């Protein structure tokens, strides 16, 4: 990719709440964007109402600055940098329609998950299946809820890329008066941390649903960040500072915030809902449900000590009683 016009024309890939928040951020620094939404009727409603008809409808957009697409091949053809903000379980489904190559594009993943079945990080999936070079892939993450971006509350993001020059350039796309964006080269660590914080947020929700108090939540999260660090150091040890906001901060906000869909999902499980019932009642995807299985299977290779993950797996996938699982789990905390 030519650095003289980098990042070129930017496209938002996905019409959910996080994609909508990212579109708001990018339009605060860029004159125009392309935006891919799967359903043409949603695009028609968006144009008519000047806001996303389903997600974060309080954000109004100047639709003259947006090129809408319902055809994934057309939006990729007309764009240089693609920001993917689709739920990880559906990524392959979207990309199956592709006959336009991605190998000459720059990819930014805002997906907090792992590609199921292959159990691949999003960055690895784009490299292995679509020929995108690792230096042309970035990850955007951090303690940042879409709902607070809509309200323009001060938020922080971290952009990770193996090419520091491109990372510095891209940070300017996401820096405005209510978002501060810093850079990192820990692509692998941040991707895994983004999955694990959703896993632990489900457990935090189960605790809340079972009426464990704030004292216990604090102990649980102290153990969760230690477990996250053990796994990250086992998979890819670069001497990272786990207390940085992209690791610890993202875990805290996802575990505590009322905006956290993973915490909400966990709360329902803690109150006695079955997994299927909780999923049906939620309007949005709880990425941590899928992430739990993926990390559990990945850790069969690495064998990091992960009692919290193991306990959640038994609850979600083996129908173990949360009461029994937590009785065994809490004995390991310190």
């Amino acid at each position: 990719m030519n650095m003289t016009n980098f990042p070129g024309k930017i496209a938002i890939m996905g019409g959910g709440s996080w994609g909508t928040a990212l579109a708001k951020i990018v339009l605060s620094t860029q004159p125009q964007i392309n935006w891919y939404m799967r359903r043409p009727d949603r695009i028609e409603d968006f144009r008519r109402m000047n806001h996303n008809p389903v997600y974060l409808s309080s954000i109004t957009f100047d639709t003259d600055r947006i090129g809408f697409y319902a055809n994934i091949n057309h939006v990729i053809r007309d764009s240089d940098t693609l920001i993917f903000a689709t739920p990880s379980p559906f990524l392959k489904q979207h990309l199956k329609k592709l006959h336009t190559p991605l190998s000459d594009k720059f990819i930014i993943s805002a997906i907090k998950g792992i590609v199921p079945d292959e159990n691949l990080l999003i960055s690895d999936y784009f490299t292995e299946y679509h020929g995108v070079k690792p230096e042309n892939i970035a990850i955007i993450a951090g303690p940042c809820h879409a709902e607070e971006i809509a309200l323009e509350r001060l938020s922080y993001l971290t952009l990770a890329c193996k090419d520091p020059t491109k990372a510095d350039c891209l940070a300017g796309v996401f820096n405005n008066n209510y978002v501060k964006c810093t850079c990192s080269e820990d692509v692998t660590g941040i991707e895994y941390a983004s999955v694990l914080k959703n896993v632990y947020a489900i457990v935090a929700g189960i605790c809340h649903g079972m009426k464990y108090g704030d004292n216990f939540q604090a102990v649980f999260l102290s153990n969760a960040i230690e477990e996250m660090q053990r796994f990250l150091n086992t998979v890819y040890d670069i001497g990272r500072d786990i207390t940085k906001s992209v690791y610890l901060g993202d875990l805290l906000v996802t575990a505590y915030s009322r905006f956290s869909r993973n915490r909400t999902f966990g709360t329902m499980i803690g109150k006695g809902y079955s997994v299927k019932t909780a999923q049906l009642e939620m309007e949005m995807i709880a990425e941590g449900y899928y992430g739990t299985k993926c990390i559990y299977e990945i850790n069969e290779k690495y064998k990091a000590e992960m009692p919290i993950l193991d306990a959640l797996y038994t609850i979600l996938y083996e129908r173990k009683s949360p009461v029994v699982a937590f009785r065994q789990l809490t004995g390991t905390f310190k």
Side-chain angles (χ1 to χ4, degrees):
M1 179 171 288
N2 189 348
M3 285 299 292
T4 56
N5 65 342
F6 184 78
K9 181 63 69 67
I10 297 173
I12 307 295
M13 308 294 291
S17 56
W18 191 214
T20 304
L22 288 166
K24 175 180 170 70
I25 296 169
V26 174
L27 279 170
S28 73
T29 64
Q30 306 298 301
Q32 198 266 351
I33 62 168
N34 292 333
W35 198 341
Y36 167 71
M37 294 183 182
R38 185 173 51 88
R39 291 174 52 177
D41 60 320
R42 294 268 173 91
I43 292 174
E44 290 174 15
D45 290 342
F46 200 129
R47 283 198 176 108
R48 181 169 48 85
M49 297 185 288
N50 295 319
H51 64 74
N52 190 324
V54 180
Y55 299 99
L56 301 185
S57 56
S58 63
I59 303 176
T60 56
F61 288 89
D62 179 358
T63 53
D64 290 338
R65 296 171 60 199
I66 302 170
F68 287 104
Y69 293 79
N71 185 308
I72 193 169
N73 287 286
H74 292 171
V75 71
I76 289 172
R77 177 197 64 196
D78 294 343
S79 308
D80 305 296
T81 293
L82 310 170
I83 304 176
F84 280 86
T86 57
S88 58
F90 306 141
L91 180 64
K92 281 197 302 184
Q93 180 184 334
H94 286 294
L95 296 180
K96 275 181 181 175
K97 305 168 189 172
L98 269 186
H99 52 74
T100 304
L102 291 174
S103 54
D104 62 339
K105 307 296 180 181
F106 192 94
I107 305 294
I108 301 176
S109 172
I111 301 170
K112 311 294 179 69
I114 291 175
V115 179
D117 302 327
E118 284 82 1
N119 282 348
L120 282 174
L121 293 172
I122 304 300
S123 60
D124 292 337
Y125 185 79
F126 277 113
T127 296
E128 291 190 25
Y129 285 83
H130 294 280
V132 184
K133 295 177 181 177
E135 60 269 25
N136 284 337
I137 299 174
I139 307 301
I140 192 80
C144 196
H145 279 305
E147 292 82 359
E148 293 201 350
I149 294 297
L151 296 168
E152 298 191 3
R153 290 180 176 168
L154 184 60
S155 303
Y156 290 75
L157 290 169
T158 297
L159 191 138
C161 181
K162 293 186 184 297
D163 185 331
T165 303
K166 289 174 183 171
D168 287 340
C169 182
L170 286 167
V173 172
F174 297 96
N175 262 316
N176 61 26
N177 63 335
Y178 57 89
V179 178
K180 309 303 176 189
C181 185
T182 56
C183 298
S184 169
E185 294 182 39
D186 186 18
V187 174
T188 299
I190 288 172
E191 278 199 273
Y192 274 126
S194 294
V195 179
L196 283 168
K197 58 98 177 185
N198 284 334
V199 170
Y200 299 137
I202 292 177
V203 180
I206 293 174
C207 296
H208 179 68
M210 293 170 63
K211 301 193 181 302
Y212 282 77
D214 291 342
N215 295 343
F216 178 78
Q217 288 278 19
V219 173
F220 157 65
L221 286 170
S222 299
N223 282 267
I225 195 65
E226 286 186 5
E227 181 169 303
M228 179 188 289
Q229 185 172 34
R230 279 197 302 272
F231 179 79
L232 297 185
N233 288 350
T234 301
V235 173
Y236 182 56
D237 188 0
I238 61 167
R240 66 183 57 80
D241 181 358
I242 202 72
T243 65
K244 285 189 174 180
S245 65
V246 73
Y247 310 105
L248 177 59
D250 207 5
L251 169 63
L252 293 175
V253 76
T254 312
Y256 279 125
S257 176
R258 63 188 176 90
F259 295 128
S260 170
R261 64 194 72 173
N262 290 282
R263 176 187 164 91
T264 300
F265 175 71
T267 299
M268 295 169 77
I269 300 297
K271 287 181 175 178
Y273 286 72
S274 70
V275 169
K276 281 193 173 180
T277 304
Q279 287 175 320
L280 286 170
E281 291 209 10
M282 286 191 61
E283 294 179 2
M284 295 185 287
I285 296 291
E287 288 268 21
Y289 170 75
Y290 302 95
T292 299
K293 185 172 186 287
C294 292
I295 296 285
Y296 182 85
E297 291 173 351
I298 289 167
N299 196 43
E300 288 178 344
K301 170 187 174 183
Y302 291 106
K303 301 192 185 307
E305 184 188 353
M306 303 188 76
I308 299 171
L309 173 83
D310 294 343
L312 182 60
Y313 180 86
T314 64
I315 293 169
L316 297 183
Y317 289 94
E318 296 178 353
R319 298 185 180 181
K320 191 169 187 176
S321 160
V323 174
V324 174
F326 269 64
R327 189 180 300 129
Q328 295 169 343
L329 178 64
T330 53
T332 70
F333 288 173
K334 56 186 184 295

